[in-house]
């Protein structure tokens, strides 16, 4: 059964990746192209130093490939990986969250993972278009972002484990509220302690930045929602068939 769930999770991730690619291409690429156009026109320099000469970097992959095949490949790999991890989490959680149907368990897991893996880190370190940010700080910004994702994920796991134990003593609703409060307290302190990163220049168009960030959120919502719905349907069918055979 574990192998069956894993395959179906990866298949659900593949489906979700295709849908997320469609959303990202339709709504995200225009703002990316606008930001790159500003950079090429000299409206914004990575270095933020007017005296520094513009750097000419050789483009290893043409822009039309980046926005089509490159984007598709990246989203599909991400979707398949997330789908596989979701199936493993589902195999562990099914039956431990009460007498929930597999479809509902999958949706709850997906919503929780979306919150702790993407939404909360995004609120601290929101995505920026490619023309925003200094090249010299890419490594530091990447480390800060993934470090915050790791803290959020660990805090979410501990909150889930302790919330389940609290639910046995205090009831499901009280256990959920206390676990959520604990998660928010931990992540709030960590977010306050971690440095703020704001490299968006005052001259950068707010509309372009807003369009890019809303498209980033929309792409993630599309991927995670499609993943939860598809995997929930697959898992319920697989487990229902297993119950029928066993009976």
């Amino acid at each position: 059964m574990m192998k069956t769930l894993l395959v179906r999770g990866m298949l659900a991730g593949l489906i979700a990746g295709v849908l997320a690619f469609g959303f990202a291409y339709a709504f995200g690429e225009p703002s990316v192209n606008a930001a790159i156009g500003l950079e090429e026109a000299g409206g914004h320099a990575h270095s933020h130093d007017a005296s520094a000469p513009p750097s000419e970097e050789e483009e290893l992959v043409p822009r039309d490939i980046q926005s089509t095949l490159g984007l598709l490949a990246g989203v599909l790999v991400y979707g398949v990986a997330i789908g596989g991890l979701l199936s493993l989490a589902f195999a562990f959680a099914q039956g431990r969250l009460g007498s929930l149907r597999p479809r509902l368990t999958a949706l709850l897991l997906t919503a929780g993972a979306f919150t702790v893996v993407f939404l909360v880190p995004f609120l601290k370190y929101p995505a920026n278009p490619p023309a925003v940010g200094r090249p010299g700080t890419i490594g530091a910004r990447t480390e800060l972002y993934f470090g915050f994702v790791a803290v959020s994920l660990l805090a979410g796991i501990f909150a889930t484990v302790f919330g389940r134990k609290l639910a046995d003593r205090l009831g499901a609703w009280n256990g959920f509220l206390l676990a959520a409060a604990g998660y928010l307290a931990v992540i709030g302190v960590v977010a306050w302690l971690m440095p703020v990163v704001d490299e968006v220049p005052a001259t950068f168009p707010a509309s372009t930045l807003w369009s890019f960030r809303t498209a980033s959120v929309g792409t993630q919502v599309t991927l995670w929602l499609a993943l939860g719905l598809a995997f929930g349907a697959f898992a319920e069918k697989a487990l229902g068939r297993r119950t029928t055979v066993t009976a």
Side-chain angles (χ1 to χ4, degrees):
M1 181 53 63
M2 185 67 249
K3 180 180 178 181
T4 300
L5 290 175
L6 180 61
V7 171
R8 293 181 183 229
M10 296 174 70
L11 178 59
L14 185 66
I15 295 172
V18 172
L19 295 176
F21 163 75
F23 187 98
Y25 184 80
F27 298 99
E29 283 302 310
S31 58
V32 173
N33 290 331
I36 293 176
L38 289 171
E39 183 183 30
E40 293 176 346
H44 169 64
H46 279 302
S47 65
H48 291 237
D49 185 358
S51 62
S55 59
E56 296 185 4
E57 299 179 357
E58 182 181 356
E59 190 176 44
L60 298 179
V61 181
R63 175 65 190 141
D64 57 342
I65 300 297
Q66 294 178 17
S67 62
T68 52
L69 293 179
L71 177 62
L72 177 61
V75 175
L76 289 183
V77 170
Y78 179 74
V80 170
I82 292 297
L85 293 175
L86 176 65
S87 67
L88 298 178
F90 175 87
F92 174 79
Q94 180 62 21
R96 292 181 171 88
L97 300 179
S99 56
L100 299 178
R101 293 178 56 184
R103 191 188 302 265
L104 184 54
T105 300
L107 288 175
L108 288 176
L109 283 175
T110 306
F114 167 80
T115 301
V116 302
V117 173
F118 171 75
L119 184 59
V120 171
F122 182 89
L123 295 176
K124 174 65 178 178
Y125 297 116
N128 288 325
V132 172
R134 302 180 181 91
T137 64
I138 291 177
R141 286 185 279 124
T142 302
E143 291 175 359
L144 286 173
Y145 176 77
F146 282 106
F148 194 73
V149 170
V151 171
S152 178
L153 181 58
L154 289 174
I157 292 173
F158 280 114
T160 302
V161 172
F162 285 110
R164 186 67 183 88
K165 294 181 179 179
L166 291 172
D168 294 336
R169 297 182 179 181
L170 306 175
W173 183 245
N174 292 330
F176 168 77
L177 290 179
L178 288 174
Y183 169 80
L184 292 176
V186 170
I187 210 67
V189 171
V190 174
W192 178 68
L193 291 175
M194 293 186 73
V196 175
V197 177
D198 185 8
E199 297 186 356
V200 181
T203 57
F204 193 86
S207 59
T208 301
L209 182 63
W210 173 257
S211 297
F212 178 83
R213 288 180 174 175
T214 53
S216 297
V217 174
T219 300
Q220 291 288 335
V221 169
T222 301
L223 187 143
W224 287 92
L225 180 59
L227 176 60
L229 292 174
F231 179 70
F234 292 158
E236 187 152 306
K237 184 177 180 181
L239 294 178
R241 180 180 302 170
R242 180 188 181 191
T243 302
T244 301
V245 172
T246 303

